[in-house]
Structures are given as C-alpha cells and as structure tokens.
C-alpha cells in the first residue's frame, strides 16, 4: 500500500493595497523552502489560467458589487479545484496572496455586500476549509496610499478607491481577525521591512516548526 502524504499547510497573506505584503511573501516562501518544504506560491484573484482572465476583468471592468463578489468566488472555486486542493492533498504547502478574507474586507466592508450573501458563497465554495495561518498586514490607509502612489504604476479599479473605502476595508479585516484570532495574526505593517520579516519568521517558526 502506498502511504498518503500528510496534508500540506495553507498560508495566506492579506491587507489593504500598499500594506507591503509582496516582498514578505517571497521571504516566507524562501524560509519554508530552506526548511525543505515543497511550496507552491499563488495569488487571488488568479492562480489558474481561467482565474487570471477573471482577474483582468475584476481589476479593470466596472461591474455590480454582487457580480464582483461572485466572480471573486468563481475564480476561487477554480483555484481550489485545479490547484490549491490537489497541492495540499499531495502534501505541498500553499502560500497564497489573498483569499476569502479579502472578499469579506473589500466586498462586504468596502463595497457593502450583504454579509449573509458572503457567508453563503463562502460556505458553498470552501465548506470546512480555512487557511492554517493568515498574516494580516495592518497599515494606516494614508501611508498605504502613499506607498501605492510611489510605485508609479497605473492604479487598478481597487487602488483608485478613496481613503474612506480603505478605512472600511481595514476595519472589516480587523473585525475578521477578532473573530478568528487563532488563525489570523495581525502584523503591524508600519514598521521597517526587516522588523516585519523578523516577526513573521517568528510566527511561522512557532506555528509550524516547534
Ligand atoms: P493584489 O494582488 O494585492 O494586487 P496587486 O497586484 O496590485 O498587489 O490584489 C488585487 C486586488 O483585488 C486588490 O485591490 C484587492 C482585490 N480583491 C478583492 O477586492 N476581493 C477579493 O476577494 C480578492 C482576492 C482581491
């Protein structure tokens, strides 16, 4: 009989635009790989060929807020079926830039999507599955907006939103963290990248390597 490998771990990164997740994701992936772990790095919306096409629409086409929420979950359904699920089953670890906490924060908190509808979609698309660990980058929206502006890149539909939108997104993220304190670790993203990296490394080591 062939022994089945233990299920891999699922780690997600969250936060408002400009909170500085990207470079820290690379650091966590490198840390895990150095420990001999087989890691798959991915992102949402996206992660599959179909998901990346949906991402293009989501980031650039205007649409009704419920259309937006359903497309986020449609991309996620595909991502789970084609990539995240099979990877975890094979024992690979998955590090994902955003997941359903982002839909709660942006579509429910930012846009005002009905919470019951969010709950229904979440229960439909991933019943019983949540990340093993979520690192939530928390930052003052004024500082985050300055970081986004300093990249000089053309802002997408979300990045063009006003400060009050990001205040609501931030609050919704923090509310979600209060409801799942074991899973969601709030990271003070106002510190230097070195300090953030050290604190994340401590969290990952304590959570998985002890
Ligand atoms: P992100 O990958 O952080 O963009 P970038 O490439 O600029 O770093 O996220 C894309 C955008 O999608 C971001 O503004 C948040 C938004 N988003 C939602 O509104 N809901 C969701 O469920 C997800 C996954 C992302």
């Amino acid at each position: 009989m062939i022994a089945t490998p233990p299920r891999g771990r699922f780690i997600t990164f969250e936060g408002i635009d400009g909170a500085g997740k990207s470079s820290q994701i690379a650091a966590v992936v490198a840390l895990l790989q150095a420990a001999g772990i087989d890691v798959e790095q991915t992102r949402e919306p996206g992660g599959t060929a179909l998901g990346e096409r949906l991402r293009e629409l989501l980031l650039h086409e205007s649409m009704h807020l419920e259309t937006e929420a359903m497309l986020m979950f449609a991309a996620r359904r595909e991502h789970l079926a084609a990539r995240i699920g099979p990877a975890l089953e094979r024992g690979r670890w998955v590090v994902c830039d955003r997941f359903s906490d982002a839909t709660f924060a942006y579509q429910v908190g930012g846009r005002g999507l009905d919470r019951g509808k969010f709950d229904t979609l979440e229960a439909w698309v991933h019943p019983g599955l949540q990340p093993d660990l979520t690192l939530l980058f928390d930052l003052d929206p004024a500082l985050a907006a300055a970081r986004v502006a300093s990249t000089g890149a053309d802002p997408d539909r979300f990045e063009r939103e006003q400060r009050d939108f990001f205040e609501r997104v931030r609050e919704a993220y923090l509310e979600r963290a209060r409801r799942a304190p074991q899973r969601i670790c709030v990271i003070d993203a106002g510190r230097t990248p070195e300090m953030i990296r050290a604190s994340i490394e401590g969290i990952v080591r304590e959570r998985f390597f002890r």
Side-chain angles (χ1 to χ4, degrees):
M1 206 176 83
I2 302 165
T4 35
R7 179 186 169 280
R9 303 301 186 112
F10 183 26
I11 302 174
T12 58
F13 282 72
E14 298 284 356
I16 61 172
D17 293 84
K21 307 176 265 109
S22 304
S23 56
Q24 302 294 344
I25 292 176
V28 166
V29 167
L31 172 72
L32 296 174
Q33 285 171 338
I37 294 167
D38 193 10
V39 191
E40 188 147 338
Q41 185 183 337
T42 184
R43 68 172 180 180
E44 290 207 348
T48 64
L50 175 62
E52 291 295 328
R53 290 176 72 180
L54 292 173
R55 180 186 176 93
E56 274 307 301
L57 294 172
L58 282 160
L59 264 49
H60 303 293
E61 293 286 329
S62 68
M63 61 185 77
H64 188 273
L65 76 94
E66 292 185 354
T67 310
E68 186 176 281
M70 287 190 281
L71 285 182
M72 291 291 179
F73 271 109
R76 184 162 300 133
R77 184 69 195 90
E78 188 65 21
H79 198 194
L80 283 160
R83 196 159 168 200
I84 298 175
L88 294 175
E89 272 163 35
R90 283 202 312 274
R92 301 193 81 190
W93 290 35
V94 175
V95 173
C96 190
D97 186 349
R98 302 189 186 280
F99 193 62
S100 292
D101 297 316
T103 317
F104 183 82
Y106 281 77
Q107 278 66 53
V108 175
R111 301 246 196 262
L113 174 74
D114 177 77
R115 284 162 187 258
K117 289 180 178 167
F118 169 85
D119 290 343
T120 301
L121 288 169
E122 187 183 38
W124 181 11
V125 170
H126 53 97
L129 175 91
Q130 285 294 345
D132 295 293
L133 173 67
T134 297
L135 297 164
L136 168 57
F137 283 58
D138 182 55
L139 186 64
D140 178 344
L143 293 174
R147 286 191 190 169
V148 170
S150 73
T151 66
D154 229 9
D156 63 39
R157 218 159 59 78
F158 294 98
E159 290 163 343
R160 277 198 296 271
E161 288 291 343
Q162 301 301 309
R163 191 72 43 79
D164 60 330
F165 175 85
F166 289 106
E167 298 283 0
R168 294 195 299 277
V169 173
R170 180 191 199 187
E171 259 323 299
Y173 265 135
L174 293 173
E175 178 192 332
R176 191 110 163 134
R178 284 192 293 275
R179 285 200 268 151
Q182 293 303 315
R183 171 173 72 83
I184 304 178
C185 290
V186 181
I187 307 292
D188 172 2
R191 297 170 296 167
T192 64
E194 294 71 29
M195 287 168 77
I196 296 171
R197 184 177 169 156
S199 81
I200 289 176
E201 193 171 322
I203 292 166
V204 169
R205 285 188 189 284
E206 150 135 15
R207 189 67 66 107
F208 300 116
F209 298 163
R210 280 210 313 178

